[in-house]
């Protein structure tokens, strides 16, 4: 792509036709874009710090979320495998047994974190609610709140709630 000749050096192209002058001189836009190459050092360092920070945060938080999905799976399995005559204590016992196969840290959640609530629109629900604190770096911690509701169809004895 060629442009009209610039007015910088008119004497060097005097003997040429207009077409020949245009063919020998590239556009000013292509000259300026050829000078802008690469990323500055400060831009590279800033983007590297942002990427490393994001990777560290994801690496620290991902196990907690994987553990939550394991807990949710154990809760659904414990609630679904019972019958209508099961009490909350029986569901808690099944839930505790299922935690062993889901690679859940024993300090994260206990069977006592499992409760029964009655909602007007959804009926009776098994609710698992817990918090997890994760040390990030220096004096910065992340506090995660997890809550999972599952329909409950068994009977609830009042002393097990």
């Amino acid at each position: 792509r060629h442009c009209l000749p610039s007015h910088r050096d008119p004497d060097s192209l005097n003997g040429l036709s207009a077409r020949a002058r245009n063919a020998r001189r590239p556009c000013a836009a292509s000259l300026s874009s050829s000078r802008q190459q690469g990323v500055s050092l400060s831009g590279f360092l800033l983007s590297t710090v942002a990427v490393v920070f994001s990777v560290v945060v994801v690496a620290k938080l991902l196990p907690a979320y994987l553990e939550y999905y394991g807990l949710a799976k154990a809760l659904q399995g414990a609630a679904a495998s019972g019958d209508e005559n099961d009490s909350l204590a029986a569901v808690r016992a099944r839930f505790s047994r299922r935690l062993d196969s889901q690679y859940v840290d024993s300090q994260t959640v206990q069977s006592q974190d499992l409760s029964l609530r009655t909602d007007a629109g959804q009926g009776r629900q098994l609710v698992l609610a817990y918090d997890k604190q994760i040390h990030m770096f220096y004096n910065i911690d992340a506090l995660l709140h997890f809550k999972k509701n599952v329909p409950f169809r068994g009977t609830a004895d009042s002393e097990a709630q």
Side-chain angles (χ1 to χ4, degrees):
R1 178 177 168 199
H2 298 285
C3 300
L4 294 174
S6 68
H7 299 291
R8 285 184 286 178
D9 191 14
D11 294 332
S12 65
L13 299 174
N14 275 343
L16 300 175
S17 68
R19 186 173 188 168
R21 277 186 253 150
N22 290 342
R24 301 184 90 197
R25 193 166 274 142
C27 287
S30 65
L31 288 175
S32 66
S33 66
S34 66
R35 289 184 228 163
Q36 298 176 1
Q37 295 178 359
V39 178
S40 67
L41 181 62
S42 61
F44 175 73
L45 289 176
L46 184 64
S47 62
T48 302
V49 166
V51 167
V52 167
F53 178 77
S54 299
V55 167
V56 167
V57 168
V58 167
K60 295 272 189 166
L61 297 181
L62 186 65
Y65 281 96
L66 293 176
E67 186 176 51
Y68 167 73
Y69 290 122
L71 284 167
K73 188 176 177 183
L75 182 63
Q76 289 174 345
S81 65
D83 61 4
E84 285 128 20
N85 295 327
D86 277 349
S87 66
L88 182 59
V91 174
R92 282 181 174 169
R94 275 197 311 273
F95 177 69
S96 293
R97 283 192 303 270
R98 287 180 180 264
L99 288 183
D100 296 335
S101 64
Q102 294 296 327
Y103 304 108
V104 174
D105 184 18
S106 62
Q107 295 176 353
T108 299
V109 67
Q110 302 294 323
S111 61
Q112 291 76 22
D113 294 329
L114 186 62
S115 62
L116 179 67
R117 296 209 179 117
T118 303
D119 293 334
Q122 298 176 343
R124 295 166 24 147
Q125 300 278 318
L126 280 174
V127 179
L128 177 66
Y130 68 99
D131 296 335
K132 179 136 180 142
Q133 185 173 356
I134 299 171
H135 177 72
M136 299 302 280
F137 40 84
Y138 300 112
N139 61 348
I140 299 174
D141 289 349
L143 180 62
L144 306 175
H145 302 284
F146 294 105
K147 185 176 181 181
K148 177 70 177 174
N149 296 340
V150 175
F152 179 71
R153 38 181 196 137
T155 61
D157 46 356
S158 58
E159 70 272 359
Q161 292 181 16

